[in-house]
Amino acid sequence: MSRSESLERADRAWWKEAVVYQIYPRSFNDSDGDGVGDIPGIVEKVDYLEWLGVDVIWLCPVYDSPNRDNGYDIRDYRSIQDAFGTMADWEELLEALHARGMRLIMDLVVNHTSSEHEWFRRSRRGEGKYEGYYHWKEGHPAADADYETADGPADEVAPNNWDSIFGGPAWSYDEERGQWYLHIFDAHQPDLNWRNPDVRADVKGEIEWWLEKGIDGFRMDAIDLLSKTEGLPDGDPDDALVGSEHYSHGPRLREYLRELYDDVLSNYDAMTVGEMGMASVEEAADSIGADGDGLDMVFQFDHMNVDAGENGPWGRAEPGDWELTELKELVSRKQRRLEWDALFLSNHDVPRLVSRFGDDDRYRAESATLIATFLLTMRGTPYIYQGDEIGMTNADFRRREEIDDPQTLGTIDDLLEAGAIDSYEDVREFVNYRSRDHARTPVQWNGASGAGFTDGEPWLKVNENRSRINVERALADEDSVWHYYRRLIELRDAEDVLVYGEYDLLLPEDEQLFAYTRTLEDERALIVLNWSAEPAVVDGLGVDADDPDALVGNYDDPPTAPEGSELRPYEAVVYRLR
Ligand code: GLC
């Protein structure tokens, strides 16, 4: 397959052809032995990233922050937090990436700031234009409320019944101002009041400042939460997350996104990916494209909820309970409906993909490479989360004290308070399936006690399997997960059909096989994945495949003809069809 000549120039975009690699800086590489990853540590690994073949680095927040939520609580948008280095270090990183033809995108966290941000400090004092920068309200009389809140004056409860995503109420009382403020996340992450045009002007100023410094785009954090229902009314008390109908995809969201695009983003060649944790596929579709709200793509989470149930913040009680047929349906709906998809099964907020969607024990390498095949051959921009390229797995958090994540801790506290559990031990299995900290254990560069991540005491425990699973071993072994990722990235770079080709699902009812074609004019690829730990016979693909050519597979000697073949556990093959 050659580079397709007739592919309209207008349809091409660098961010469609790119493979993105996500770095969670605290956990990536520590250059100074303080146990926390840092920017010079990333600079040391730029060659590594180039060898892997990725094109864009998404760097999670490195801005100045008190780290109540590891940088997602920004104190100053225009400076770098000390633990990560200096602005000069950041400039060096940008230069090193650009010199190798790679690009850098960063998190834009503007649903909320840190409570230590200057805007909030001035707002709580009621100072000038800052007075209305956040959602301030009087409390509700306790006597006629059917919910409770711990802080605040004795005769008051929070202004409404909304839950925080991190557990507990979405409101805290501020002594200084004598009012309550809204925080959809942690109490130290007050939500900005986007109805206020001065807030929007200031946010646009921050975006412009970074674009002028040369960054190549943004991952827009919690961007579906910017607009809240006018008056902030009570939410349905029976909802799993009370109030979310009033803050997820609120009435003015599209107007705000459009304004960011028209006034700032459209003036730059910048890529944008919006995180929309609660948006439907339809809502995500509306946000995408210049004739939508201007986002290039969206992290939409339907497929990530395939293992979530109805009952409670962490969903279904049975860890790991999900059906391949359902995953296929959810993924395929997005492939059909979204102008361009963001392809992901992991990030810094979810467990390790091989532990969740594969088999992190017997078939770790096979399932990690099968998942890689899936991510790199669907239609959209693939996102690789740090460590996935060596098949890193979930850790075992034996004690509550080993956990750092405020969401995990908040949820455990809620469960304890509700009497649903008696001790950490009752929820340990679930934490070990679901916690955000699994993604945050340090990257395993080698088998040393600090995993080559640090010479000091790591801020979060290193996974015990570091001597078996690490970069040093992976690089030395041509058959490793790492080398498979590299080969697949190379293949995707060479084959337009894998980037731009139309997606068609085959065998939708098959409970083991995930099979699909990608078609671009007369070029065609067939991808067959046995997403199970048992052998699977391929039958009834129904594609014309005279002389298929196996381009890449995760076992030696993949079947030369897909139809009628028997695939081994977690076997994945990419064919070219003639
Ligand atoms: C997003 C981030 C998550 C963070 C939250 C609040 O969901 O991905 O890590 O905690 O927003 O900023």
Side-chain angles (χ1 to χ4, degrees):
M1 285 170 267
S2 59
R3 312 288 300 177
S4 174
E5 310 260 314
S6 58
L7 191 65
E8 290 286 333
R9 275 202 148 262
D11 288 340
R12 288 194 175 276
W14 62 263
W15 44 264
K16 291 183 180 173
E17 296 176 10
V19 173
V20 182
Y21 184 93
Q22 182 190 352
I23 291 184
Y24 194 70
R26 279 186 94 70
S27 309
F28 189 66
N29 187 31
D30 171 24
S31 72
D32 60 6
D34 65 356
V36 174
D38 47 45
I39 297 174
I42 303 172
V43 174
E44 284 173 8
K45 300 293 183 186
V46 167
D47 286 333
Y48 168 83
L49 298 167
E50 191 185 17
W51 299 333
L52 185 58
V54 296
D55 309 287
V56 173
I57 302 304
W58 154 22
L59 185 59
C60 286
V62 290
Y63 315 93
D64 176 40
S65 164
N67 284 316
R68 295 294 188 150
D69 187 22
N70 288 345
Y72 281 93
D73 47 326
I74 299 175
R75 183 161 48 201
D76 177 1
Y77 288 99
R78 300 191 190 187
S79 64
I80 302 294
Q81 64 170 278
D82 291 342
F84 291 156
T86 62
M87 191 59 85
D89 294 329
W90 182 87
E91 283 159 3
E92 191 186 337
L93 173 63
L94 183 69
E95 210 169 289
L97 291 171
H98 283 175
R100 288 165 180 78
M102 289 187 264
R103 306 195 202 224
L104 179 66
I105 68 170
M106 302 223 293
D107 263 87
L108 178 73
V109 188
V110 290
N111 173 68
H112 46 271
T113 66
S114 159
S115 51
E116 294 182 26
H117 193 288
E118 191 194 333
W119 298 341
F120 189 75
R121 287 194 274 115
R122 298 178 110 173
S123 191
R124 62 152 48 120
R125 290 199 296 265
E127 203 182 298
K129 71 162 188 173
Y130 296 100
E131 184 179 356
Y133 261 43
Y134 296 82
H135 296 277
W136 292 104
K137 275 196 111 171
E138 300 299 333
H140 192 87
D144 69 356
D146 47 16
Y147 54 93
E148 289 171 20
T149 31
D151 58 348
D155 53 345
E156 281 185 21
V157 291
N160 69 27
N161 66 353
W162 297 4
D163 285 335
S164 153
I165 292 177
F166 284 176
W171 294 88
S172 290
Y173 184 74
D174 186 61
E175 296 285 347
E176 194 173 336
R177 176 140 163 173
Q179 278 187 314
W180 299 73
Y181 66 91
L182 177 69
H183 54 86
I184 302 295
F185 295 94
D186 188 79
H188 301 86
Q189 294 169 296
D191 282 52
L192 283 164
N193 175 11
W194 275 71
R195 278 172 303 180
N196 185 329
D198 290 331
V199 167
R200 303 204 295 277
D202 270 348
V203 166
K204 285 184 275 184
E206 305 300 339
I207 297 177
E208 206 151 43
W209 191 84
W210 280 101
L211 289 168
E212 286 298 319
K213 276 196 80 69
I215 69 167
D216 303 294
F218 294 102
R219 179 263 189 186
M220 301 159 100
D221 185 72
I223 206 72
D224 52 339
L225 308 184
L226 299 185
S227 165
K228 280 90 181 171
T229 304
E230 199 66 38
L232 314 177
D234 277 346
D236 173 357
D238 296 328
D239 208 279
L241 198 60
V242 178
S244 52
E245 75 271 37
H246 295 301
Y247 57 74
S248 151
H249 244 86
R252 293 180 66 185
L253 176 67
R254 302 198 57 190
E255 174 196 333
Y256 299 153
L257 293 176
R258 189 73 216 179
E259 185 177 326
L260 294 184
Y261 181 71
D262 286 343
D263 293 357
V264 191
L265 293 163
S266 61
N267 302 328
Y268 295 82
D269 180 21
M271 110 173 217
T272 51
V273 50
E275 184 209 23
M276 296 196 164
M278 287 186 255
S280 67
V281 175
E282 290 306 316
E283 287 166 334
D286 286 343
S287 309
I288 299 173
D291 50 2
D293 305 329
L295 298 184
D296 291 327
M297 60 193 120
V298 161
F299 291 126
Q300 197 280 342
F301 283 76
D302 272 5
H303 66 296
M304 296 296 274
N305 292 326
V306 69
D307 59 351
E310 304 300 311
N311 43 356
W314 271 348
R316 189 182 290 173
E318 277 294 312
D321 183 8
W322 62 278
E323 306 287 333
L324 183 66
T325 46
E326 195 184 341
L327 182 74
K328 291 195 280 191
E329 191 187 316
L330 295 171
V331 164
S332 300
R333 192 146 59 87
K334 290 169 56 167
Q335 289 278 297
R336 291 185 201 110
R337 185 66 185 86
L338 300 180
E339 195 175 319
W340 194 254
D341 202 357
L343 308 170
F344 72 105
L345 283 176
S346 59
N347 62 38
H348 63 293
D349 291 330
V350 292
R352 286 284 170 185
L353 49 69
V354 69
S355 299
R356 186 173 181 189
F357 297 108
D359 173 344
D360 65 5
D361 188 21
R362 176 148 182 219
Y363 295 114
R364 186 187 64 88
E366 292 81 359
S367 59
T369 46
L370 172 133
I371 292 169
T373 315
F374 165 75
L375 289 171
L376 288 155
T377 60
M378 298 288 284
R379 187 170 187 281
T381 300
Y383 288 76
I384 301 172
Y385 181 69
Q386 66 183 29
D388 285 345
E389 76 276 23
I390 56 166
M392 279 179 62
T393 68
N394 281 359
D396 179 9
F397 294 102
R398 296 199 176 83
R399 291 172 299 118
R400 189 184 190 280
E401 294 67 45
E402 289 181 337
I403 296 164
D404 170 83
D405 169 33
Q407 180 175 42
T408 307
L409 294 172
T411 310
I412 295 171
D413 289 345
D414 277 0
L415 294 171
L416 282 169
E417 214 166 283
I421 57 170
D422 295 325
S423 69
Y424 174 69
E425 203 44 40
D426 293 342
V427 80
R428 172 171 159 197
E429 189 191 349
F430 212 62
V431 168
N432 279 339
Y433 177 64
R434 203 73 185 85
S435 173
R436 304 200 299 178
D437 277 344
H438 294 296
R440 302 174 180 188
T441 64
V443 170
Q444 292 155 216
W445 297 101
N446 63 37
S449 68
F453 159 76
T454 185
D455 297 331
E457 193 53 45
W459 72 276
L460 187 67
K461 73 183 236 171
V462 170
N463 195 313
E464 280 102 17
N465 61 24
R466 67 179 188 277
S467 52
R468 217 164 24 91
I469 303 170
N470 64 58
V471 170
E472 198 176 276
R473 280 186 71 155
L475 291 179
D477 172 7
E478 274 296 320
D479 292 327
S480 68
V481 176
W482 192 91
H483 283 282
Y484 187 81
Y485 264 93
R486 193 188 47 76
R487 275 198 292 280
L488 262 181
I489 294 171
E490 230 168 65
L491 181 69
R492 191 176 179 280
D493 283 348
E495 305 287 353
D496 268 347
V497 67
L498 294 180
V499 177
Y500 293 105
E502 283 305 316
Y503 164 89
D504 285 293
L505 179 67
L506 308 170
L507 309 174
E509 305 301 333
D510 197 294
E511 286 166 10
Q512 287 174 281
L513 295 170
F514 197 154
Y516 47 96
T517 52
R518 304 288 312 279
T519 311
L520 185 67
E521 292 154 13
D522 56 354
E523 298 174 17
R524 199 143 194 234
L526 166 69
I527 294 90
V528 192
L529 313 171
N530 173 13
W531 206 311
S532 81
E534 307 298 328
V537 175
V538 183
D539 178 27
L541 281 173
V543 289
D544 255 351
D546 271 355
D547 187 13
D549 184 8
L551 295 174
V552 63
N554 63 350
Y555 278 77
D556 287 341
D557 309 317
T560 46
E563 186 64 36
S565 66
E566 185 178 280
L567 294 187
R568 291 157 280 191
Y570 292 102
E571 182 159 14
V573 195
V574 181
Y575 294 96
R576 181 205 312 275
L577 301 182
R578 291 173 212 278

